[in-house]
Amino acid sequence: MVSIDHVAHKILTYFPYVLVLIDMRFQGVKCGKDGSVDNHMEMGKKLLAAGQLADALSHFHAAVDRDPQNYMAYYRRATVFLAMGKSKSALPDLSRVIELKPDFTSARLQRGNLLLKQGKLDEAESDFKKVLKSNPSDKEEKEAQSQLTKSDEIQRLVAQSRRSFDDKDYVTAAAQLDTVIETCVWDVTSREMRAECFIQMGEMGKAISDLKAASKLKNDNTQAFYKLSTIYYNLGDHEMSLNEVRECLKLDPDHKQCYSHYKQVKKLNKQIQAAEEFIQEQRYEDAVSKYEAVMTTEPNVQHFLLLAKERICHALTQAQQASRAISVCSEVLKSSPANVNVLKDRAEAYLQDEQYEEAVKDYETAAKHSEGDRHIKEGLERAQRLLKQSQKRDYYKILGVKRTAQKKEIIRAYRKLAQQWHPDNFQDPEEKKKAEKKFIDIAQAKEVLTDPEMRTKFDHGEDPMDPESQQGHHHHHFHGGFHGFQGFNPFGSGPFNFKFNFN
């Protein structure tokens, strides 16, 4: 059900426009092209008052077309342009008004204000001075005098900023230009000079902001787009760099600087995209090769070198090439010690290399820079479990195999060690006792590492043979020391056959 308040709001919103239309119908005002200039002017005024700017503009266009000497048509159209925020379009109309009626003080004052905002100080001052000589109203006189004073001050600041810039005092020049731009908000020259100050000061974000404004304020501003592209490139943002240099080439396809830069950025962008696709496809060696090509293409921009090494570090970690990964990751962290992604990758590589203490340290450092990261939390817990586990029994070390060993390698290592440490091989009671313990460890290691479920548990820091780590879960372990093996042939159907004679 529609509320009364809602209906009232709709009526109040559209009421002025409805009144205009009703009034036009009663007066017989024509909406088509055959309407008279006066009718278009009257209709435009009413639509303007009702806030219907686009409709008002179309009628003032028609009035100008029908009577190019009607200064009020130009003035009204300029008023609509200003209301729509289209000052560039308003300025020619105001100039035409002054050309047709030089004593139109209001139009001259408005033009002076626009010229001042554009930083055209001499032209603005000329308008303000003429307003003061043309018997203005008190309000117009006060505004013209205020703006003339302000223009004089801006002239002085512009001169000072240029001297500071020439003296390479960029901080002072930027501060002076701040004050200039507060008034001359559409002054392209001041914005471009301040952007150069920011570049020299290393404040690239501020430089980008000024150059983006300059590219919009001045038609065909290829130089602004070129500078934007080079800034983004030096910041390592190849995609934004490519976007900006393309804008330059849209304006001038033969622009030498932009075309040369475009070829470089496009090549680099293509290589980076290809490398990332290889990572997605798990073609890690191909990704490494492609990022090495990136470093060859652009050896001078630090951001791209670090990006390439960071992604090589990631690819090598994913490929479980621990030692290579640790080396590359460490190189990146020398330049960027708080790089969370690289810290996580190196921690993972340390885990692969069984350097558990180092892995814990990297995860802890990463956690300080990225609180609440679930992957870091899980990685740290895993590293801590594996560190604790490594201080007890490590079934991989017992069999002398890597964590990535396949089942066949594990069984082969087990058989070799079981043959070596079988207690029947030892006569001395102490040596036999030591061999019994070693033999049990070897058999347990084989059982854990050849059972997928138990191996997964162990790889996550849980010992399936340790009742404490099981915490009440079902577990496998051997009872009764070596005597539990009596009658057990550890070699299955293999060539070895040992008898157990322990009574």
Side-chain angles (χ1 to χ4, degrees), residues 48-173:
L48 176 59
Q52 303 298 316
L53 301 181
D55 292 332
L57 186 62
S58 67
H59 285 285
F60 291 133
H61 281 323
V64 168
D65 290 342
R66 287 185 166 278
D67 185 3
Q69 301 302 311
N70 188 328
Y71 72 90
M72 279 306 298
Y74 288 103
Y75 185 70
R76 295 294 183 196
R77 188 168 71 175
T79 303
V80 177
F81 278 137
L82 289 172
M84 296 172 81
K86 297 180 178 180
S87 59
K88 282 185 181 179
S89 300
L91 195 59
D93 275 359
L94 290 171
S95 294
R96 180 64 175 151
V97 172
I98 294 165
E99 182 185 332
L100 293 169
K101 190 170 175 59
D103 62 345
F104 197 154
T105 306
S106 182
R108 193 178 289 279
L109 187 57
Q110 284 194 47
R111 187 177 73 171
N113 287 333
L114 291 180
L115 291 168
L116 180 60
K117 286 183 177 181
Q118 289 183 344
K120 297 177 179 178
L121 303 176
D122 291 337
E123 294 176 53
E125 286 187 10
S126 174
D127 272 346
F128 296 140
K129 287 175 181 177
K130 285 179 181 177
V131 168
L132 292 172
K133 292 177 181 177
S134 63
N135 296 319
S137 66
D138 290 344
K139 184 181 177 181
E140 289 173 337
E141 182 179 7
K142 185 177 179 181
E143 184 180 351
Q145 188 59 60
S146 172
Q147 294 295 76
L148 185 60
T149 302
K150 187 182 286 186
S151 183
D152 286 339
E153 175 63 15
I154 296 297
Q155 291 269 30
R156 184 180 63 78
L157 276 170
V158 168
Q160 288 178 347
S161 67
R162 284 174 182 160
R163 284 196 295 273
S164 299
F165 186 86
D166 291 341
D167 292 340
K168 298 184 180 179
D169 184 356
Y170 301 113
V171 175
T172 301

Side-chain angles (χ1 to χ4, degrees), residues 292-303:
E292 286 172 346
V294 167
M295 292 192 285
T296 302
T297 299
E298 184 44 84
N300 301 315
V301 177
Q302 186 69 8
H303 286 284

Side-chain angles (χ1 to χ4, degrees), residues 166-203:
D166 291 341
D167 292 340
K168 298 184 180 179
D169 184 356
Y170 301 113
V171 175
T172 301
Q176 291 162 339
L177 289 166
D178 286 344
T179 307
V180 171
I181 293 169
E182 281 177 15
T183 299
C184 307
V185 290
W186 303 326
D187 181 8
V188 175
T189 303
S190 293
R191 284 192 180 272
E192 289 180 339
M193 184 185 291
R194 188 171 68 173
E196 191 57 39
C197 290
F198 287 141
I199 291 170
Q200 296 300 326
M201 292 158 64
E203 296 190 33

